[in-house]
């Protein structure tokens, strides 16, 4: 039986909980999340959660007959930001779930995470700024794995630490910036350039 996006999100939440409890390392979390979102059928989940305590999410791999049908589940598992052809800015104090999906094709999307309330030690951000522009400001000390396709005259600038550290937020940023631009950075130093901060 093929899995739905809601099923993948449930297994991903199980993995995040396991990482928060110290059952798996951040490296293992990153690897297992990648395999989770690449899963096509319930059997693909089994090796990902086989060594973890049973939870609602991991039960999907063990009891597919009772799993929710495709399309079921809460759409609130991920924060979806639609900014096609428009400008969207998120800053100040705002709640960030474990997964954010930002669609800013031909538009502008700026995400300032310095004062955001993160709900997971690892936050996944998928951003599409094809033909547009985007900016992501991380909290001081945070780390990020950035894997964004900037082919076809696109530009990607990542100015943040990539080596994960225990006790600090980590981000996995994927998506596309074809014919567009994306910058991932920390707050700019004070001075003249500071007036251009998000």
């Amino acid at each position: 039986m093929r899995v739905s996006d809601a099923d993948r999100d449930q297994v991903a939440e199980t993995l995040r909980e396991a990482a928060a409890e110290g059952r798996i390392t951040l490296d293992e979390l990153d690897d297992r999340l990648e395999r989770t979102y690449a899963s096509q059928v319930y059997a693909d989940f089994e090796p990902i959660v086989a060594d973890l305590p049973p939870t609602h999410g991991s039960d999907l791999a063990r009891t597919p007959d009772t799993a929710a049908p495709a399309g079921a589940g809460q759409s609130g598992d991920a924060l979806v930001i639609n900014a096609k052809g428009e400008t969207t800015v998120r800053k100040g104090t705002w709640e960030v779930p474990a997964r954010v999906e930002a669609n800013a094709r031909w538009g502008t999307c700026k995400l300032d995470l310095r004062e955001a309330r993160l709900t997971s030690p690892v936050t996944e951000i998928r951003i599409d700024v094809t033909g547009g522009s985007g900016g992501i400001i991380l909290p001081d000390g945070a780390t990020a794995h950035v894997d964004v396709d900037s082919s076809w005259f696109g530009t990607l600038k990542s100015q943040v630490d990539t080596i994960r550290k225990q006790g600090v937020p980590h981000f996995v940023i994927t998506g596309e910036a074809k014919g567009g631009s994306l910058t991932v950075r920390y707050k700019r130093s004070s001075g003249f350039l500071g007036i251009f901060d998000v």
Side-chain angles (χ1 to χ4, degrees):
M1 185 181 298
R2 297 182 70 85
V3 300
S4 68
D5 286 340
D7 296 331
R8 296 184 186 95
D9 287 339
Q10 288 177 10
V11 174
E13 185 58 30
T14 296
L15 296 175
R16 293 186 193 98
E17 290 177 4
E21 295 170 355
R23 297 182 188 277
I24 59 176
T25 66
L26 291 177
D27 284 337
E28 289 175 305
L29 174 62
D30 193 25
D31 175 67
R32 294 189 192 202
L33 284 174
E34 184 175 341
R35 289 159 54 198
T36 295
Y37 284 106
S39 296
Q40 299 297 317
V41 295
Y42 287 103
D44 295 336
F45 288 153
E46 177 60 32
I48 298 174
V49 298
D51 59 346
L52 300 177
T55 66
H56 178 62
S58 59
D59 282 346
L60 287 171
R62 300 181 175 96
T63 55
D65 291 339
T66 61
Q74 298 181 352
S75 60
D77 291 342
L79 172 63
V80 179
I81 300 173
N82 288 312
K84 290 183 179 180
E86 300 177 353
T87 298
T88 297
V89 176
R90 290 289 180 101
K91 61 186 295 187
T93 303
W94 57 295
E95 184 169 302
V96 179
R99 183 171 175 83
V100 177
E101 299 174 4
N103 187 345
R105 285 188 166 223
W106 314 107
T108 300
C109 182
K110 298 186 184 295
L111 305 177
D112 186 342
L113 300 161
R114 290 174 292 171
E115 299 177 19
R117 189 174 76 81
L118 306 176
T119 61
S120 174
V122 177
T123 303
E124 302 166 62
I125 300 176
R126 175 165 179 79
I127 185 167
D128 186 348
V129 289
T130 297
S133 64
I136 300 175
I137 304 178
L138 301 187
D140 289 340
T143 58
H145 170 74
V146 182
D147 184 12
V148 174
D149 184 356
S150 59
S151 60
W152 195 69
F153 306 104
T155 302
L156 171 64
K157 294 181 182 179
S158 179
Q159 304 165 351
V160 299
D161 295 336
T162 59
I163 299 176
R164 284 165 288 189
K165 305 170 187 174
Q166 292 290 344
V168 299
H170 182 68
F171 296 83
V172 178
I173 302 172
T174 60
E176 297 183 353
K178 296 178 180 179
S181 64
L182 176 66
T183 299
V184 182
R185 61 179 175 84
Y186 302 115
K187 178 183 178 181
R188 290 192 177 100
S189 59
S190 59
F192 182 75
L193 290 178
I195 65 174
F196 297 108
D197 272 350
V198 175

